[in-house]
Amino acid sequence: MRNKKVVIVGSGLGGISSAISLATQGYDVEVFEKNDKIGGKLNVLERDGFKFDLGPSIFTMPHIFNELFENAGKNMEDYFTLVPVKPHWRNFFEDGKIIDLIPVDIKNKFRATNVSERDNRDLEEFLTYSKKLYDLVDEGYFAKGLDTFKDNIKEYGFIKLLKDLDGLSTMDSQVRKYIDNEYLIDIINFFIKYVGSSPYNAPALFNLLPYIQYQFGLWYVEGGMYNLAEGLLKLMEELEVKINLNSEVVEILKENEKVSAIRLKNGKVIKADIIVSNMEVIPAYENLLKEDREFLKKYDKFEPTCSGLVIHLGLKKEYKNLAHHNFFFSKDPKEHFATVFNKKKLPSDPTIYLVAPTRTDKSQAPEGYDNIKILPHIPYIQDDIKLSDYMELKERIYDKLESMGLDDLRENILFEEILTPFDIKKMYNSNKGSIYGVVSDVKKNLGLKAPKRSEKYYNLYFVGGSVNPGGGMPMVTLSGLNLKDLILETKKN
């Protein structure tokens, strides 16, 4: 395989996973990254002694990452350290109710605080259902890298897809069959944040997400999440993967039914036997391959996920009421989701995800100070939403947080750094500023994403959140592991 040249466009976790997986099989792998560091959205900002994780802040399913190291004959523990996060989440509601999700025993069962015993029994029953979904998805869709509806029908059968995987039901509709407590319904529904979709639109099979978190734990990478990227960089270097930073790919060259090379912004052309795009499928076809609208129509069902207004604050004080991961819920979550995902408008009352990493790692801010990341989900880039609209939303967010327990927040801000959907698109070439790739919607795509192998060019492949199995750190990493199997199977045939 050493004579087979693989070029990877982009070094997000999907690209990194692909590079490692293919290098362990003997391929000659070279990565081209437009930015000055690897990791894609797994990014870091350091300012005045504060350290912010710009992208992912929740680490789950460590066994998927461990597989990368095991395949290379290495121990993951030698590259970075995982620290458990407790409680998993703290949930704030408009009426003053606060509910924590906590692990309570070595079997990793979970309970919610500040609810009744009956509510916790309902939660346990729901998790049994969630486990059933996970087991079915893990043994087929995850393990075999299934890419199309036809693949899934072949694996599961039509009846099983509809019945056992609740194929045509939504996430919210199934949650309500098990849980009566409206606070818990909102909390469980918001596990959909992992894939940037709406529980009122997403297929019910996404109810596997709570079980994943409960079974495999919720973790933090000691020293900051970017240390995961640093550990993976070390592994790539040991495997002799060549990494080119500040090297933007502007074109993928093609010859009939195959791709042959990439062209960099500086004009340099690099030939390849296989090209893997970590750039999302639609932007790659539009911008790198210059495909026409007629071809791209088939990808309309792979609409972008939501984007976000990402606010990083250096603070003069520590808010003792915050946990590491916090959610400040909208008074009307259903209306919030409808506004963002159906109407494509900025929410007047958003649900807010807030990360306070110093609850686990004091090194993330100078002593006596604090840092927080604030992330409400908002629509991907829309023609009628301007920069000034994002700044007005920021003020509404501050109002909401101050009214729900972060007293005098504005007065305690030393500095703020903000990423809008425009910034996210520019930094990562994401489709209209999407954070998580392709939206999961039962009516639009049954929760499926684009296939990993190009339908037009036999030696072009895709990884990341826009292909199966979808968005989130474990899933984009799994896309790279699945890609290795797909390429090896294709070669065999």
Side-chain angles (χ1 to χ4, degrees):
M1 304 277 189
R2 208 66 207 171
N3 296 323
K4 289 288 186 181
K5 173 80 171 187
V6 178
V7 162
I8 297 178
V9 180
S11 66
L13 283 173
I16 290 171
S17 174
S18 303
I20 292 169
S21 299
L22 292 171
T24 61
Q25 296 299 314
Y27 286 91
D28 178 11
V29 181
E30 189 166 6
V31 178
F32 294 85
E33 168 58 51
K34 72 182 283 286
N35 294 316
D36 62 358
K37 63 173 74 70
I38 71 160
K41 298 185 189 80
L42 180 62
N43 204 345
V44 64
L45 166 70
E46 298 188 55
R47 175 175 168 180
D48 302 337
F50 294 83
K51 192 174 179 182
F52 299 91
D53 291 310
L54 294 185
S57 50
I58 292 179
F59 189 109
T60 59
M61 304 182 82
H63 61 284
I64 289 178
F65 299 87
N66 189 53
E67 189 173 339
L68 291 175
F69 292 89
E70 285 186 342
N71 290 346
K74 308 288 186 177
N75 294 314
M76 187 171 75
E77 295 78 11
D78 296 332
Y79 293 80
F80 55 86
T81 300
L82 294 178
V83 181
V85 175
K86 298 178 183 179
H88 277 192
W89 291 356
R90 178 160 293 162
N91 303 278
F92 296 80
F93 293 89
E94 290 273 350
D95 62 2
K97 185 91 165 178
I98 298 174
I99 296 174
D100 285 353
L101 292 183
I102 56 171
V104 294
D105 61 27
I106 58 172
K107 292 181 180 177
N108 221 18
K109 285 186 178 179
F110 277 72
R111 291 175 64 84
T113 62
N114 205 15
V115 297
S116 71
E117 281 301 314
R118 178 185 170 182
D119 291 330
N120 269 308
R121 286 195 299 271
D122 289 347
L123 180 58
E124 192 167 335
E125 186 179 350
F126 171 80
L127 288 173
T128 300
Y129 160 70
S130 181
K131 179 183 186 302
K132 182 196 80 170
L133 294 176
Y134 171 78
D135 288 343
L136 286 168
V137 171
D138 184 51
E139 68 189 23
Y141 181 64
F142 288 167
K144 299 179 182 180
L146 304 181
D147 259 334
T148 65
F149 183 64
K150 185 178 178 181
D151 290 341
N152 282 275
I153 289 289
K154 186 177 178 181
E155 173 71 21
Y156 296 107
F158 188 72
I159 299 301
K160 196 169 189 178
L161 272 179
L162 290 183
K163 186 179 178 184
D164 293 350
L165 285 168
D166 298 320
L168 298 179
S169 301
T170 64
M171 188 174 172
D172 172 76
S173 68
Q174 292 302 109
V175 171
R176 292 178 183 276
K177 289 183 179 180
Y178 292 88
I179 297 175
D180 294 325
N181 184 305
E182 287 293 332
Y183 299 106
L184 285 181
I185 289 172
D186 291 341
I187 291 169
I188 296 300
N189 271 343
F190 213 73
F191 271 82
I192 199 66
K193 79 167 293 294
Y194 280 117
V195 296
S197 302
S198 166
Y200 302 94
N201 301 341
L205 66 87
F206 282 93
N207 281 317
L208 58 78
L209 291 169
Y211 175 75
I212 285 175
Q213 182 169 305
Y214 294 163
Q215 176 62 23
F216 302 111
L218 190 65
W219 306 87
Y220 172 78
V221 181
E222 189 177 82
M225 295 293 288
Y226 193 73
N227 282 354
L228 167 61
E230 296 281 10
L232 292 168
L233 173 61
K234 181 182 176 185
L235 178 60
M236 284 195 290
E237 290 171 342
E238 290 170 353
L239 293 171
E240 300 182 4
V241 173
K242 188 175 180 183
I243 301 162
N244 303 273
L245 302 176
N246 301 302
S247 300
E248 184 174 2
V249 177
V250 296
E251 186 179 5
I252 295 177
L253 305 179
K254 50 198 178 182
E255 297 174 5
N256 299 318
E257 294 181 349
K258 73 171 186 174
V259 291
S260 57
I262 60 167
R263 189 190 308 279
L264 301 180
K265 193 173 184 179
N266 64 11
K268 187 176 181 181
V269 173
I270 295 93
K271 293 183 178 180
D273 299 297
I274 295 171
I275 296 177
V276 179
S277 174
N278 196 184
M279 184 188 289
E280 293 177 29
V281 172
I282 292 174
Y285 275 131
E286 283 181 335
N287 303 324
L288 302 185
L289 290 146
K290 314 297 192 249
E291 299 295 341
D292 59 28
R293 179 61 196 151
E294 187 62 29
F295 173 79
L296 286 166
K297 276 196 301 189
K298 69 174 73 175
Y299 294 95
D300 286 349
K301 62 184 177 182
F302 300 124
E303 184 182 0
T305 67
C306 64
S307 187
L309 184 66
V310 195
I311 305 169
H312 305 92
L313 299 180
L315 298 177
K316 291 186 283 187
K317 68 172 281 189
E318 181 178 339
Y319 286 92
K320 303 293 186 183
N321 52 340
L322 293 175
H324 188 134
H325 298 292
N326 309 269
F327 294 90
F328 291 79
F329 280 87
S330 170
K331 190 172 184 179
D332 186 347
K334 187 173 185 179
E335 176 59 27
H336 160 72
F337 280 110
T339 300
V340 172
F341 290 92
N342 302 344
K343 301 173 188 174
K344 306 292 194 298
K345 301 292 184 184
L346 294 180
S348 59
D349 175 27
T351 292
I352 299 165
Y353 171 45
L354 187 151
V355 193
T358 58
R359 305 309 177 271
T360 304
D361 184 357
K362 293 294 184 184
S363 73
Q364 299 302 291
E367 187 175 353
Y369 294 83
D370 204 3
N371 72 353
I372 61 174
K373 176 170 81 173
I374 300 165
L375 173 61
H377 282 168
I378 59 175
Y380 56 83
I381 292 171
Q382 303 292 312
D383 291 340
D384 60 345
I385 300 179
K386 307 295 188 290
L387 183 61
S388 58
D389 298 319
Y390 295 130
M391 295 305 102
E392 289 176 11
L393 174 61
K394 180 197 75 170
E395 295 303 323
R396 294 201 298 276
I397 289 166
Y398 289 168
D399 288 342
K400 182 179 178 72
L401 292 174
E402 288 184 335
S403 71
M404 293 179 71
L406 272 60
D407 300 335
D408 304 319
L409 175 62
R410 287 180 175 88
E411 295 177 16
N412 285 287
I413 296 175
L414 287 171
F415 64 82
E416 65 178 16
E417 296 275 357
I418 298 174
L419 296 177
T420 70
F422 301 128
D423 298 312
I424 294 166
K425 179 183 178 182
K426 181 179 179 181
M427 291 168 71
Y428 308 118
N429 282 331
S430 68
N431 191 13
K432 299 183 179 179
S434 164
I435 293 180
Y436 308 93
V438 169
V439 75
S440 297
D441 189 302
V442 71
K443 292 181 180 177
K444 291 173 182 172
N445 51 38
L446 295 173
L448 292 173
K449 316 302 183 290
K452 289 178 281 295
R453 184 176 180 180
S454 170
E455 297 167 279
K456 188 168 185 179
Y457 305 101
Y458 69 83
N459 60 337
L460 173 64
Y461 298 85
F462 297 92
V463 289
S466 67
V467 299
N468 295 294
M473 289 207 308
M475 295 298 100
V476 296
T477 302
L478 183 56
S479 74
L481 287 161
N482 289 157
L483 177 72
K484 174 202 66 175
D485 297 334
L486 178 60
I487 288 176
L488 292 176
E489 186 62 33
T490 301
K491 180 180 180 296
K492 202 182 301 179
N493 294 336

